[in-house]
Amino acid sequence: MSKPLQVKVFRFNPESDVAPRFDDFEVPVFDNMAVLDVVIYIQNYLDRSLSFRFSCRIGMCGSCAMYVNGRARLACRTQVSSLKTRDITIMPLPNFPIIRDLVVDMEPFFDKWKKIKPYYIPKREIDAPVTVQPESNEREFIDDMLDCISCGCCYSACSMVATNKDYLGPAALNRAYTLIADKRDAIRVERLKAVDRSYGVWRCHTQFNCAEVCPKNIVPTRSIQRLKRRCVLKKFGIFK
Amino acid sequence: MHAWTWVLQRISAVILIIALGLHIGFLHFSNTGEPLNYGEVVARLKTPVLIVFDILLLTFGLYHALYGLYSVFLDFDSGKKERVIVLGLFVVVGLGIVGFGIFGLLYTARSL
């Protein structure tokens, strides 16, 4: 049998603890073990009070994002073997308020989504579905960006979010781009105004931290750069 | 405003890459030999094209640097009042340095 994992887990209950701490656990390894299996094992057999969030287990819901060995990852899609070490440190996502242990409060994240109106609003005059030509590069690009599962990994990795609580963040801006780039959307200009603010697109310094950690391989930085370009076009009166 | 200032910083970056290369080129390769000939240096400092070139280099270099610093300032939570004060400070410092630089270049060209 292979050597067990040495797991350090961040623990903190803001209601009862004075300060956070790390608890050490020894966890046996099995084939195809994911980090989510590690925390489930700890909760089932070692410490039932450990709190964490998960749902689908297949990388669809985005609820099990954690900070594992210095990087935001989906616990369900991160194989223990891919970490290349027996020492694992698991923490809650940075840049979020902690509810308890590994569970973070996603409210600030989704508050920023609300600011860009993350839902499609059709133009009234369009009654039938609009044909999007398969060769349209823009359309393909939007397809890539639509894979976002709002796990918050990009938000937690963004150093601009870390220093500024008002910055909309990569996920909301990426979502805004997918709607602004869709010519069928009725409030594209209004949306663009919502992101054309100091704490909208202009805070992004193209560091690509968001793209580095995205479990869906989305590059929000690219979406943000395209939004900046559209903001400039709007100033010239070209974007309509 | 952000769109314009952002575009201008990109433009200034391109200008700086070209202008700095030319500036270094003028300084190091326009001399006929070593040690430097005083007459050549004076002639260069009195050449109108090079004076205009140096003024543009100073202006765009300062704009690029100060806009970068202001962006770093904006990255941190700050109130509107603080933002206006810092922006005003940067504008005054920038205009002051550009003004002093232009005065220095023109004064030198005239007095040599």
Side-chain angles (χ1 to χ4, degrees):
Chain A
M1 192 175 170
S2 57
K3 276 171 62 180
L5 301 170
Q6 304 299 321
V7 186
K8 270 186 193 299
V9 182
F10 179 96
R11 307 300 301 274
F12 184 52
N13 182 349
E15 288 177 3
S16 58
D17 296 343
V18 177
R21 67 179 193 280
F22 281 94
D23 284 352
D24 295 313
F25 300 98
E26 205 169 86
V27 177
V29 189
F30 55 80
D31 286 344
N32 299 320
M33 190 179 204
V35 172
L36 184 60
D37 298 317
V38 173
V39 286
I40 288 174
Y41 181 91
I42 292 171
Q43 194 190 55
N44 283 348
Y45 301 109
L46 304 176
D47 187 342
R48 298 189 74 82
S49 68
L50 177 64
S51 299
F52 55 94
R53 189 188 279 136
F54 74 99
S55 181
C56 74
R57 302 185 186 207
I58 54 170
M60 268 178 64
C61 70
S63 59
C64 68
M66 298 171 191
Y67 195 67
V68 181
N69 282 11
R71 183 187 168 124
R73 312 168 198 254
L74 287 185
C76 69
R77 303 300 295 163
T78 304
Q79 292 279 304
V80 165
S81 58
S82 73
L83 298 173
K84 313 275 186 217
T85 175
R86 297 276 154 184
D87 298 312
I88 301 177
T89 303
I90 307 173
M91 298 169 70
L93 287 180
N95 298 343
F96 288 92
I98 296 166
I99 293 175
R100 183 170 165 164
D101 298 339
L102 304 175
V103 181
V104 293
D105 182 1
M106 300 293 283
E107 198 171 342
F109 176 78
F110 286 114
D111 278 347
K112 289 169 183 178
W113 274 70
K114 285 178 200 162
K115 286 184 180 168
I116 57 106
K117 295 190 172 72
Y119 40 86
Y120 169 63
I121 299 175
K123 288 178 179 168
R124 276 193 201 142
E125 64 264 30
I126 296 174
D127 298 325
V130 175
T131 308
V132 177
Q133 297 301 322
E135 64 271 17
S136 161
N137 289 333
E138 188 176 58
R139 182 62 210 168
E140 284 169 23
F141 180 73
I142 297 169
D143 282 348
D144 290 346
M145 299 300 151
L146 286 172
D147 284 345
C148 177
I149 53 174
S150 55
C151 61
C153 284
C154 59
Y155 190 86
S156 75
C158 177
S159 42
M160 294 305 110
V161 172
T163 55
N164 195 309
K165 67 179 183 333
D166 291 327
Y167 175 46
L168 290 175
L173 291 171
N174 176 70
R175 178 62 185 155
Y177 175 72
T178 62
L179 293 161
I180 287 167
D182 191 334
K183 292 189 171 59
R184 297 167 300 170
D185 186 58
I187 58 160
R188 296 165 71 225
V189 176
E190 189 186 320
R191 267 188 232 287
L192 198 61
K193 279 181 189 160
V195 301
D196 184 11
R197 304 185 300 120
S198 181
Y199 297 118
V201 291
W202 306 111
R203 285 279 55 72
C204 174
H205 293 322
T206 56
Q207 293 174 337
F208 290 91
N209 293 333
C210 50
E212 186 76 18
V213 299
C214 178
K216 294 292 178 180
N217 296 322
I218 297 171
V219 187
T221 315
R222 197 188 302 155
S223 303
I224 297 168
Q225 288 305 101
R226 293 195 175 206
L227 284 173
K228 285 179 183 173
R229 205 181 302 163
R230 280 166 170 76
C231 290
V232 173
L233 292 176
K234 182 164 71 72
K235 297 285 180 208
F236 282 106
I238 299 170
F239 180 84
K240 296 211 168 49
Chain B
M1 180 192 167
H2 294 288
W4 296 122
T5 51
W6 180 79
V7 167
L8 192 54
Q9 206 203 21
R10 266 64 193 165
I11 293 169
S12 66
V14 175
I15 290 173
L16 279 178
I17 288 172
I18 299 165
L20 275 175
L22 290 172
H23 181 73
I24 292 167
F26 281 136
L27 287 184
H28 292 276
F29 302 116
S30 65
N31 308 307
T32 52
E34 291 286 344
L36 284 177
N37 181 318
Y38 179 75
E40 279 179 352
V41 174
V42 170
R44 191 168 62 225
L45 287 172
K46 288 171 89 79
T47 307
V49 173
L50 294 184
I51 292 170
V52 172
F53 184 80
D54 280 347
I55 290 171
L56 290 177
L57 186 62
L58 174 67
T59 308
F60 282 107
L62 257 177
Y63 175 80
H64 194 83
L66 290 176
Y67 182 84
L69 281 174
Y70 185 61
S71 290
V72 172
F73 169 75
L74 288 180
D75 291 342
F76 298 91
D77 276 326
S78 54
K80 192 175 179 186
K81 191 178 161 193
E82 286 85 358
R83 290 203 296 273
V84 170
I85 290 171
V86 171
L87 180 63
L89 190 70
F90 278 20
V91 169
V92 170
V93 168
L95 289 175
I97 295 176
V98 168
F100 185 68
I102 292 171
F103 170 77
L105 283 164
L106 296 177
Y107 182 80
T108 307
R110 282 183 62 183
S111 59
L112 284 173

